Amino acid sequence: MTCVHTDRPEALGPQGQGDRSARWSAALRSSASEQCPAQASRWSLGSGAGGGLPGQNVTMDEGGVPLLPDSLIYQIFLSLGPADVLAAGLVCRQWQAVSRDEFLWREQFYRYYQVARDVPRHPAATSWYEEFRRLYDTVPCVEVQTLREHADQVLHLSFSHSGYQFASCSKDCTIKIWNNDLTISLLHSADMRPYNWSYTQFSQFNQDDSLLLASGVFLGPHNSSSGEIAVISLDNFALLSRVRNKPYDVFGCWLTETSLISGNLHRIGDITSCSVLWLNNAFQDVESENVNVVKRLFKIQNLNASTIRTVMVADCSRFDSPDLLLDAGAPPGRVFDLGSDSEDEEGGSEPVPAPARAKEGLRRFLDGLLDARAQPQLSEHALETKVAELLAQGRTKPPEHSIADASKLLIFTTGCLTYSPHQIGIKQILPHQMTTAGPVLGEGRGSDAFFDALDHVIDVHGHIIGMGLSPDNRYLYVNSRAWPSGSVVADPMQPPPIAEEIDLLVFDLKTMREVKRALRAHRAYTPNDECFFIFLDVSRDFVASGAEDRHGYIWDRHYNICLAKLRHQDVVNSVVFSPQEQELLLTASDDATIKAWRSPRIVRIHQAPRPRPHHFFSWFASQRR
């Protein structure tokens, strides 16, 4: 999908906007003369939204009858662009009334934004005119500030829930906390090099904005790198606790206001392993026999050199009041459900217990290998995977299901056919699992419940390089670089080539269906064995992502159109909307800068003198050269 607004500045700075209205008015009159010469003299006389010259209506004859009927003016306006229609509406009351016609602006909307005609108007919109203005005037595409306090690549940005502060992580191994005001200022900088960190890579504020989770790469013995999570108090910026995190791109996340999730990895074979997710108390000095510092949450089997990465938590209690219902009127998409491993038994025979069935299956498989009846011959890696699958069949605890209305979903990326993640695992977190109280280290588990089964698995047939939740937590947005159609991964250590074009996919976590079509425009070039994350973000109306093509991108969530392209000098790693003001967006780049972008409407409010003349169309005119 191509971006619209090719004539709109990619990053319009605050300089040089003072005299733009006058120049734009002249351009409007010139454009009107070219398209409608018969009316040129009358258009140039327009002086305001109420009519022509004082005491005179240039579009009426001496008897007060319009020189042109509304229907003819409507047809003329259909041939004009949006800015010309707005300018023509300043000539007189008749033209103004026609220039605000709903059918006229419906045509302007579909034509200008290149939206498919079968896409309905946003359900919250009051008119096509207002919807046009919303997309043009409220998208944060005007660069208002560039922050250069980092000394190396900026990898991640996160806002506090109040929107008053945000944090940034960088290859310079610092975590910086900023005050978000009209002019952004640095509040605190924490250097993590004294703790043997190589760099900081991720941060997240807890729900009440009292604590900051910061994740980074930790340099261990013999230069082995794993990850570590630090918890920082936002009252005095004291370091409260440190938690080991392996692999480092699990990143970590908050589950409650005082507990966070980390990961660990245990190798079983060359390409098989298990990932353990831990629930950690943010305050490591807990002294109570009923509360643990850590508690095992889940243990997941990994096949084909895959590992759990990028954990996040969705709050299902917020699904009932979605900020935007994306699948309304849309045909059903693909359904993603792992289902049960057990098979339906024929007749009235008793079901065979899972452990016994797994042992029997493994015995038959090994017998076939020894008797050379297993064809075709399996590679060493395929053999290891098959044996691991059979062993796990009888040692996997089936999913539990909660009857409670409020529950949470643990979401993470993993892989099954290649060592780079291409699947999304979803596991329900039950209320009794959301506390560190209770048994430690998985006590109480029987030997027949060795691994935890997933509730759902989403396969995107490509490399996942970013995930983000909508504000209502119902929709999951996923950046993916697709594999060639029909490709099969025969060797997990040799994944297929991946596309440079990034698909931004959307999944409904309530129905477990893919909704909408993929958003496109941004690109990535890193080879398939070195893919890294590009952190995206979702607001009420927009979704934004960085890219390796040195730009950030903004799309409208309802219409699936690209609205803005934001320029940097290098790869854009992370984007984030203010949770309280979606007309403010931050972007972080390998060029070591953070850029703040505001909407044309907000910039105009802060810069334009008052009273502001011609406010009727100034939202559009102020953005044209």
Side-chain angles (χ1 to χ4, degrees):
M1 182 178 297
T2 57
C3 288
V4 298
H5 293 189
T6 53
D7 61 333
R8 188 177 185 177
E10 292 180 340
L12 178 62
Q15 300 85 5
Q17 294 190 31
D19 60 344
R20 190 165 290 168
S21 262
R23 299 200 312 271
W24 180 225
S25 296
L28 288 174
R29 289 194 294 270
S30 174
S31 175
S33 300
E34 294 175 3
Q35 298 190 49
C36 191
Q39 302 296 325
S41 59
R42 297 191 181 97
W43 286 47
S44 62
L45 294 175
S47 60
L53 294 175
Q56 180 181 5
N57 196 326
V58 296
T59 63
M60 302 286 183
D61 62 15
E62 294 180 357
V65 178
L67 295 175
L68 294 175
D70 288 355
S71 58
L72 182 56
I73 296 174
Y74 175 82
Q75 292 299 322
I76 294 173
F77 282 9
L78 278 177
S79 66
L80 303 178
D84 296 334
V85 170
L86 290 172
L90 300 179
V91 173
C92 67
R93 290 185 179 89
Q94 182 199 16
W95 288 23
Q96 180 186 18
V98 177
S99 72
R100 298 296 293 270
D101 183 84
E102 269 291 274
F103 291 101
L104 174 65
W105 280 100
R106 181 181 183 275
E107 291 301 310
Q108 292 284 357
F109 185 93
Y110 282 117
R111 184 170 62 193
Y112 185 82
Y113 290 110
Q114 302 175 28
V115 178
R117 296 278 174 162
D118 59 346
V119 177
R121 194 177 71 189
H122 192 293
T126 58
S127 69
W128 284 106
Y129 171 83
E130 292 298 334
E131 191 66 349
F132 192 109
R133 182 166 73 169
R134 176 183 72 84
L135 292 190
Y136 201 98
D137 208 30
T138 67
V139 177
C141 61
V142 181
E143 181 184 345
V144 294
Q145 192 173 356
T146 301
L147 309 174
R148 306 181 185 276
E149 280 79 353
H150 278 291
D152 208 334
Q153 303 170 4
V154 188
L155 303 180
H156 185 257
L157 299 167
S158 65
F159 258 108
S160 64
H161 294 84
S162 67
Y164 295 148
Q165 297 176 343
F166 68 89
S168 59
C169 297
S170 169
K171 282 286 186 73
D172 65 12
C173 206
T174 65
I175 304 162
K176 297 189 187 297
I177 302 172
W178 308 78
N179 270 330
N180 177 35
D181 208 336
L182 186 58
T183 299
I184 296 170
S185 59
L186 182 63
L187 178 63
H188 177 75
S189 181
D191 187 356
M192 300 303 292
R193 281 172 291 195
Y195 303 101
N196 273 3
W197 283 31
S198 176
Y199 56 87
T200 61
Q201 60 176 356
F202 177 84
S203 64
Q204 186 182 47
F205 290 78
N206 70 341
Q207 191 62 41
D208 64 3
D209 293 337
S210 62
L211 302 173
L212 179 68
L213 176 156
S215 174
V217 176
F218 176 85
L219 291 177
H222 310 293
N223 292 325
S224 63
S225 63
S226 60
E228 194 167 85
I229 298 171
V231 177
I232 300 173
S233 168
L234 294 175
D235 291 332
N236 54 13
F237 306 112
L239 183 62
L240 300 179
S241 62
R242 293 163 59 197
V243 175
R244 195 57 55 89
N245 189 40
K246 184 178 181 180
Y248 58 82
D249 50 4
V250 170
F251 297 120
C253 67
W254 290 105
L255 179 60
T256 68
E257 289 186 356
T258 58
S259 60
L260 58 104
I261 296 174
S262 66
N264 200 0
L265 181 66
H266 302 281
R267 294 291 179 186
I268 298 175
D270 288 340
I271 60 170
T272 56
S273 62
C274 70
S275 290
V276 180
L277 296 177
W278 294 90
L279 188 60
N280 307 266
N281 198 300
F283 307 97
Q284 297 292 302
D285 57 350
V286 172
E287 296 180 1
S288 170
E289 60 182 12
N290 298 319
V291 179
N292 304 307
V293 174
V294 296
K295 177 183 175 181
R296 193 173 82 180
L297 192 58
F298 299 120
K299 184 176 183 180
I300 309 295
Q301 184 191 39
N302 301 319
L303 301 174
N304 295 73
S306 68
T307 62
I308 285 181
R309 296 172 168 139
T310 318
V311 296
M312 61 175 58
V313 173
D315 186 356
C316 304
S317 65
R318 300 162 68 178
F319 289 179
D320 293 333
S321 54
D323 51 32
L324 183 65
L325 197 60
L326 293 183
D327 59 349
R334 293 178 293 169
V335 181
F336 302 91
D337 196 332
L338 185 63
S340 173
D341 290 332
S342 62
E343 299 176 359
D344 294 333
E345 302 296 330
E346 296 181 0
S349 58
E350 293 293 329
V352 180
R357 189 168 63 250
K359 290 179 181 178
E360 178 62 22
L362 180 60
R363 185 186 64 78
R364 288 198 303 267
F365 176 72
L366 295 177
D367 286 346
L369 288 177
L370 293 174
D371 295 341
R373 290 197 300 267
Q375 297 295 334
Q377 293 293 326
L378 297 176
S379 66
E380 182 177 343
H381 286 163
L383 178 61
E384 180 183 329
T385 298
K386 184 65 176 178
V387 172
E389 287 178 331
L390 290 171
L391 285 174
Q393 280 184 6
R395 296 176 176 271
T396 300
K397 182 180 178 182
E400 301 179 50
H401 296 285
S402 172
I403 60 175
D405 293 334
S407 60
K408 295 187 178 182
L409 296 178
L410 178 68
I411 304 170
F412 52 83
T413 59
T414 182
C416 182
L417 298 179
T418 175
Y419 67 94
S420 292
H422 84 285
Q423 290 180 320
I424 300 169
I426 299 177
K427 180 71 176 172
Q428 187 180 42
I429 306 176
L430 304 180
H432 71 271
Q433 296 169 324
M434 298 183 194
T435 173
T436 53
V440 184
L441 304 181
E443 292 175 2
R445 286 174 175 262
S447 59
D448 291 337
F450 195 73
F451 297 114
D452 293 287
L454 301 181
D455 294 297
H456 301 279
V457 171
I458 298 174
D459 195 325
V460 301
H461 197 68
H463 284 233
I464 297 168
I465 60 169
M467 296 197 303
L469 288 167
S470 60
D472 58 13
N473 280 209
R474 175 165 174 175
Y475 295 100
L476 178 68
Y477 285 75
V478 178
N479 266 337
S480 172
R481 296 173 63 186
W483 294 334
S485 178
S487 62
V488 177
V489 183
D491 186 342
M493 308 310 291
Q494 294 182 355
I498 51 178
E500 290 185 353
E501 188 172 53
I502 302 173
D503 292 331
L504 186 47
L505 310 173
V506 191
F507 301 96
D508 186 341
L509 295 178
K510 185 172 184 177
T511 63
M512 293 299 162
R513 293 179 182 270
E514 183 179 5
V515 294
K516 290 286 187 181
R517 63 184 184 274
L519 301 172
R520 291 177 177 169
H522 52 325
R523 305 181 73 83
Y525 309 111
T526 302
N528 58 359
D529 58 346
E530 298 177 4
C531 281
F532 63 91
F533 253 56
I534 296 175
F535 295 95
L536 59 95
D537 196 32
V538 190
S539 71
R540 184 187 68 249
D541 295 319
F542 308 124
V543 55
S545 175
E548 290 187 70
D549 58 15
R550 303 182 179 183
H551 289 87
Y553 292 84
I554 304 175
W555 295 264
D556 181 79
R557 292 178 61 195
H558 178 73
Y559 300 106
N560 272 35
I561 53 175
C562 184
L563 296 171
K565 188 175 178 181
L566 314 175
R567 178 176 295 176
H568 271 269
Q569 299 303 310
D570 211 329
V571 174
V572 178
N573 296 307
S574 179
V575 298
V576 61
F577 290 98
S578 166
Q580 302 299 327
E581 182 190 3
Q582 68 172 357
E583 295 181 49
L584 169 63
L585 177 75
L586 304 176
T587 57
S589 171
D590 277 359
D591 63 15
T593 68
I594 301 169
K595 289 188 177 184
W597 309 81
R598 293 190 182 273
S599 70
R601 186 184 73 89
I602 296 298
V603 171
R604 192 169 61 251
I605 289 173
H606 291 159
Q607 293 184 348
R610 298 176 186 275
R612 296 162 52 225
H614 305 325
H615 63 278
F616 172 69
F617 74 103
S618 61
W619 61 271
F620 194 106
S622 64
Q623 286 305 292
R624 295 294 294 265
R625 295 182 184 277

